[in-house]
């Protein structure tokens, strides 16, 4: 029995998607023009156009008029109660930022998939600002296995290298445990703001993070206008 030839558009999409997922093509990278891709894959330009259209619909590629197609940047400002990159946020306050990794190891998640867990502390002006415990799905972000998270916070690395299409945030006030209080240099039982965030690319999970902020150092502010709300962390 003769096997059917693979769908050309699907093959092109899979190859480009692989380059994006692996971090080989980072957000903002200009994708070769359709004529060049058609020659590279030995197919019609219409086939390339179809593959790119599917990538645009998936949120992985964006088209800019008269400029071409580019790997999409993560839509940071579209998520509800978005928290910007902490390094950028702290620097914008004029404070020195530092990340300290406490533990980095591989583990299995509930579905028995390989994940990379990174636990650490964000500092502002040399004082503890937030605890972070993050899991990155290695099946979706294989390049994370080679990243050096002792020198760069995983959230900063992900925003720079990996696009995502949707997010879910859960924010609640909690009291710091004795261990958490010691790391954050606050009293045991002090009020903290806990943020848990899951992000996906399409229907595939990218990362889950739990961040615990000192209640006296962090506010979430949301400004609403007609149409799209503007939200930011302070």
């Amino acid at each position: 029995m003769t096997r059917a030839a693979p769908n050309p558009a699907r093959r092109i999409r899979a190859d480009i998607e692989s380059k994006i997922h692996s971090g080989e093509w980072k957000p903002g990278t200009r994708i070769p023009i359709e004529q060049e891709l058609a020659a590279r894959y030995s197919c019609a330009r219409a086939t390339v156009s179809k593959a790119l259209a599917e990538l645009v619909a998936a949120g992985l590629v964006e088209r800019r008029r008269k400029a071409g197609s580019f790997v999409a940047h993560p839509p940071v400002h579209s998520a509800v109660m978005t928290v910007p990159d902490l390094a950028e946020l702290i620097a914008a306050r004029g404070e020195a930022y530092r990340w300290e990794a406490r533990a980095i190891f591989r583990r299995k998640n509930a579905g028995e998939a390989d994940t990379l867990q990174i636990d650490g502390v964000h500092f502002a002006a040399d004082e503890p600002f937030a605890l972070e415990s993050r899991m990155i799905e290695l099946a979706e972000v294989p390049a994370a296995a080679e990243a050096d998270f002792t020198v760069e916070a995983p959230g900063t690395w992900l925003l720079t290298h990996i696009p995502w299409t949707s997010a879910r945030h859960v924010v609640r006030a909690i009291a710091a445990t004795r261990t958490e209080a010691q790391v954050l240099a606050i009293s045991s039982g002090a009020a903290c703001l806990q943020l848990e965030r899951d992000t996906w690319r399409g229907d595939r999970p990218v990362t889950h993070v739990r961040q615990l902020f000192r209640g006296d150092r962090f506010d979430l502010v949301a400004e609403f206008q007609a149409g799209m709300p503007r939200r930011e962390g302070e």
Side-chain angles (χ1 to χ4, degrees):
M1 183 176 179
T2 304
R3 294 183 62 182
N7 183 295
R10 187 177 302 167
R11 177 171 60 89
I12 296 168
R13 172 180 173 172
D15 190 45
I16 294 176
E17 195 170 358
S18 176
K19 287 180 170 59
I20 295 173
H21 287 179
S22 68
E24 180 182 346
W25 286 5
K26 297 176 175 58
T29 297
R30 190 177 188 278
I31 294 172
I33 61 175
E34 291 185 0
Q35 293 93 324
E36 182 178 337
L37 290 174
R40 179 182 302 182
Y41 292 104
S42 300
C43 66
R45 182 177 172 183
T47 302
V48 172
S49 182
K50 179 181 179 182
L52 290 177
E54 291 176 356
L55 289 165
V56 170
L60 296 178
V61 170
E62 61 181 6
R63 281 176 166 157
R64 302 176 191 170
R65 188 179 178 185
K66 297 182 179 180
S69 298
F70 297 81
V71 176
H73 285 270
V76 174
H77 298 295
S78 70
V80 175
M81 300 298 275
T82 288
V83 177
D85 175 26
L86 293 183
E88 184 178 277
L89 183 153
I90 292 168
R93 289 179 167 183
E95 299 177 321
Y97 169 80
R98 179 165 61 88
W99 158 257
E100 180 181 291
R102 294 271 175 119
I104 302 174
F105 54 95
R106 294 176 73 147
R107 54 173 290 187
K108 299 284 188 181
N109 64 16
E112 293 300 306
D114 283 329
T115 63
L116 185 68
Q117 180 164 336
I118 308 103
D119 298 335
V121 185
H122 298 273
F123 289 81
D126 214 35
E127 292 184 358
F129 182 77
L131 298 177
E132 177 168 316
S133 181
R134 181 183 296 271
M135 290 186 293
I136 300 175
E137 300 294 333
L138 292 177
E140 187 64 18
V141 192
E146 305 299 326
D148 187 356
F149 294 123
T150 64
V151 298
E152 184 176 29
T156 302
W157 184 90
L158 285 166
L159 287 173
T160 303
H161 293 80
I162 305 298
W164 51 270
T165 57
S166 60
R168 178 177 181 267
H169 288 195
V170 177
V171 182
R172 59 171 60 93
I174 68 169
T177 66
R178 180 177 300 177
T179 300
E180 291 166 343
Q182 288 176 343
V183 177
L184 288 173
I186 56 179
S187 302
S188 180
C192 292
L193 186 68
Q194 175 182 276
L195 183 146
E196 290 189 87
R197 177 173 61 218
D198 292 277
T199 57
W200 294 267
R201 183 158 39 197
D203 61 353
R204 299 180 297 275
V206 172
T207 183
H208 170 81
V209 63
R210 175 184 182 265
Q211 294 174 326
L212 187 67
F213 299 91
R214 288 176 46 159
D216 62 344
R217 296 294 306 275
F218 192 80
D219 297 319
L220 283 175
V221 178
E223 295 180 8
F224 299 90
Q225 298 177 350
M228 181 65 70
R230 179 165 66 99
R231 301 178 177 90
E232 60 182 0
E234 296 194 332

